Amino acid sequence: MKNKSVEASASVSRRDFIKTSAAGAAAILAGKSVIFAAGAKRKLKIALIGCGGRGNGALDNCMEAATNIDGLELELVATADWFKQKAESTGGRFKLPPSKCFGGGNAYKQLLETNADVVLIATSPNFRPVHFEAAVKAGKHVFMEKPVAVDPPGIRKIIEAGELAKKNGLGVVAGTQRRHQANYQRIQYAVERGAIGKIVGGCVWWCGGALWYQTKKADESDADYMVRNWVSFTEMSGDHIVEQHVHNLDVANWYIGHPPDNALGFGGRARRKTGNQFDFFSVDYDYGDGVHIHSMCRQVNGTDGDVREFFAGTEGQTMGGGGLKGKDIKAPDYPDRNAYVQEHVDLLESILKNEPLNEARNVAESTLTAIMGRISTYTGKLVRWKDLTENTNSPWYNLTLTPAALDFESPGVVAPPDDIVAIPGKD
Ligand SMILES: NC(=O)c1ccc[n+]([C@@H]2O[C@H](COP(=O)([O-])OP(=O)(O)OC[C@H]3O[C@@H](n4cnc5c(N)ncnc54)[C@H](O)[C@@H]3O)[C@@H](O)[C@H]2O)c1
C-alpha cells in the first residue's frame, strides 16, 4: 500500500517563515497560504474521473486553489469518463495527450494506475463507493463530489474506505461545500458553543424547478442512456433528496452534531418525464431527545422555491449561514473564498502539511440521512438509522439498487422502465 504523504521536511511554521522570509511575507500579503520554506516548490499530480459539468468545474476550482498556495504547482496527468470523447475534451483543455484520457466503465482503473497523487471524482453518485474504494486502495488522496452512494451497502463501503484512507495518511474532502464556506463555518462555530442554546428543532429546504432530463436514443444501449440521464434514475442519483438536498441535511447533521435516529416521510411523482424518481419529499427527521427537523425538497417548475436551513434553539435561532439571534460568539477568521475553491485549498493544504483532512464519514452519514428519508418515503414506513447501519435483519440493511456500479463494468446493463415508481405501502 502506497502512502502518499508529502515530505514535510521543508515545511515551516507561519510565524518562523514570516520572520525569515520577505518573500513569505509578500505571499501572505497577496492572500496566499505559505507552507514551504522560501523558494521551495512542490508539484502534485492530479487526475479526474467524471468529466461532466461538475468534474470540469472541480478541476478548475482545484487549479484555482493551487494559485492560493505559495510554491504549489498542479499537473493534470489523466482523465477518465464513461465517454472517451468527454475525457479527451477535458484533457485537451490541459494539453493532455489522448493516451492519458481513458474511456468506458473500467476507465477509472486505468486512471488509478497513473502516478496521480490526488484524484477528483465527479461521476454520478452510484459509482462513488467503488471508485472511492479503488482510489484509496491505489494510495490516492481524493476529492469526491456529494452524494457518495445511493444505498446503505454503498455508504458502509465509503465509511470503510474512509477509515483505510485515515490509516494510510490520505486526504479525503467531499463537495458538500458549506463545511468550507465561511458564513456557515462561523455560525456552526457559534452554535456549537451555545449561541442559540440547544437546538430543539428546525427545517431544511431544497425546493426549486425541475432539472434537465434526456430521452433514450433509438440506437443507444441502456447503460449509455442511464449514464446520460442519471438525474432521472434513483439507481444512479439516489433521487433528488439524496442528490441535491444532501447539502441541507449535511448542515442539519453538522449543526446538531450527529445524524438522526429515524425518518418518516411522504412524497410523490407528478411531472417527471423519464426515469423513476419522485418530484417531492417531505420528511420528519427525529434526532432523538425531542429534536425534530422537517426536510422539504421539490423539483417542480412553477412552484415556489427555497434553499436554506433554519434551526430553533432553547436560547435563540439561526439560519444555516447567517442571521443568528442569540449570544454573540466571535468565530475565527475563516477564509472567505468561493466554497467550491476553498474545498480544494483545504484538501491541498492538509496534504502538504501531512495533516490530511478526512471527511468520508461526515459525507457518508449525510448521504445516508437522505437515503433513510427516501426509503421511508418510497415505502411509507418509519426507517431507523440502526436499520441501515447495524440491524442486519432489517429489509433495508442490504438494500442494493440495481443495476449497480459493478454491473456497468461489463455489457448487459438493463435500465429500469421509465415511469414505474415506488408505491408507498406496497413496496
Ligand atoms: N457540489 C455541487 O454543488 C454539485 C453541483 C453539481 C453536481 N454535483 C455532483 O457532481 C456529480 C456529477 O454531476 P454533474 O452535474 O457533473 O453530472 P454530469 O452528467 O455533467 O457529469 C457526470 C460525468 O460522469 C461521467 N460518468 C458517468 N459514469 C461514469 C463512470 N462509471 N466512469 C467514468 N465516468 C463516468 C459521465 O459520462 C459524465 O461526463 C454528481 O454527484 C452531482 O451530484 C455537485
Side-chain angles (χ1 to χ4, degrees):
M1 190 72 50
K2 279 186 276 174
N3 183 330
K4 283 282 173 182
S5 304
V6 170
E7 277 175 52
S9 55
S11 73
V12 291
S13 84
R14 188 179 168 94
R15 204 178 34 203
D16 291 347
F17 192 81
I18 295 170
K19 268 197 267 170
T20 56
S21 160
I28 289 171
L29 280 177
K32 293 189 176 199
S33 302
V34 173
I35 298 172
F36 317 121
K41 300 270 181 225
R42 283 289 181 282
K43 185 186 254 192
L44 287 175
K45 298 187 171 63
I46 58 171
L48 169 68
I49 307 174
C51 304
R54 186 79 276 278
N56 277 285
L59 189 53
D60 292 341
N61 298 147
C62 189
M63 293 293 182
E64 184 179 337
T67 66
N68 288 286
I69 301 174
D70 196 43
L72 176 63
E73 190 189 327
L74 293 185
E75 181 191 355
L76 180 71
V77 295
T79 56
D81 195 277
W82 179 265
F83 298 107
K84 183 162 166 54
Q85 69 272 25
K86 292 185 82 168
E88 287 182 7
S89 157
T90 301
R93 294 204 290 122
F94 295 85
K95 306 207 173 350
L96 202 59
S99 59
K100 296 290 178 199
C101 305
F102 306 108
N106 289 290
Y108 73 98
K109 294 178 188 165
Q110 292 167 279
L111 178 140
L112 292 176
E113 283 168 10
T114 68
N115 60 356
D117 302 295
V118 186
V119 173
L120 318 181
I121 308 180
T123 62
S124 51
N126 59 316
F127 295 110
R128 202 80 77 251
V130 168
H131 291 182
F132 175 57
E133 181 186 55
V136 170
K137 287 187 170 166
K140 313 296 186 190
H141 301 281
V142 172
F143 169 82
M144 59 180 167
E145 263 307 338
K146 48 42 67 175
V148 293
V150 295
D151 52 30
I155 293 294
R156 296 198 296 272
K157 194 188 275 288
I158 293 280
I159 291 175
E160 260 177 45
E163 291 303 314
L164 183 63
K166 202 173 282 174
K167 196 169 138 226
N168 292 345
L170 298 170
V172 181
V173 161
T176 35
Q177 281 159 272
R178 287 155 177 77
R179 291 188 194 235
H180 299 263
Q181 193 170 319
N183 56 329
Y184 277 86
Q185 291 172 310
R186 283 193 291 267
I187 297 294
Q188 189 276 338
Y189 180 94
V191 166
E192 194 179 353
R193 284 156 185 79
I196 63 168
K198 177 184 180 307
I199 291 179
V200 289
C203 190
V204 293
W205 296 258
W206 195 306
C207 296
L211 293 190
W212 53 271
Y213 68 95
Q214 305 279 348
T215 51
K216 189 163 188 295
K217 297 176 193 163
D219 56 350
E220 179 174 50
S221 70
D222 280 17
D224 282 2
Y225 171 52
M226 289 186 79
V227 167
R228 282 195 314 109
N229 196 27
W230 68 269
V231 294
S232 293
F233 286 100
T234 303
E235 293 77 6
M236 306 294 281
S237 76
D239 209 326
H240 66 93
I241 186 173
V242 179
E243 195 277 318
Q244 197 169 53
H245 191 37
V246 66
H247 283 293
N248 318 101
L249 293 167
D250 182 56
V251 174
N253 287 359
W254 181 29
Y255 280 33
I256 292 170
H258 57 86
D261 288 351
N262 60 65
L264 183 59
F266 59 85
R269 176 174 169 110
R271 301 276 181 81
R272 273 182 149 70
K273 307 265 191 253
T274 61
N276 51 15
Q277 295 189 178
F278 276 17
D279 286 322
F280 53 89
F281 293 81
S282 171
V283 182
D284 171 42
Y285 283 102
D286 179 350
Y287 278 78
D289 202 18
V291 179
H292 286 256
I293 297 290
H294 179 206
S295 124
M296 291 173 67
C297 59
R298 175 166 65 187
Q299 290 182 343
V300 177
N301 289 339
T303 60
D304 285 343
D306 217 339
V307 180
R308 64 192 168 106
E309 308 87 16
F310 167 77
F311 302 98
T314 49
E315 293 165 47
Q317 61 183 56
T318 190
M319 303 298 291
L324 188 146
K325 291 181 191 150
K327 271 187 236 135
D328 189 13
I329 294 181
K330 172 119 181 66
D333 256 346
Y334 294 106
D336 217 346
R337 292 192 186 95
N338 173 353
Y340 281 113
V341 175
Q342 189 61 40
E343 292 170 336
H344 293 275
V345 172
D346 292 341
L347 174 62
L348 295 171
E349 284 190 357
S350 84
I351 295 169
L352 294 167
K353 289 176 178 166
N354 282 336
E355 294 165 4
L357 285 174
N358 190 313
E359 299 185 338
R361 181 173 287 274
N362 285 344
V363 69
E365 290 187 347
S366 298
T367 305
L368 189 62
T369 300
I371 290 171
M372 181 165 74
R374 183 198 72 218
I375 296 174
S376 173
T377 302
Y378 279 9
T379 60
K381 306 287 186 195
L382 182 106
V383 181
R384 296 168 196 82
W385 188 255
K386 281 185 186 167
D387 294 333
L388 314 179
T389 56
E390 285 174 35
N391 178 5
T392 52
N393 295 323
S394 149
W396 305 302
Y397 182 83
N398 281 320
L399 174 76
T400 302
L401 304 190
T402 55
L406 291 176
D407 297 326
F408 284 80
E409 294 185 18
S410 347
V413 165
V414 177
D418 283 321
D419 225 17
I420 302 290
V421 302
I423 302 177
K426 285 204 165 177
D427 286 344

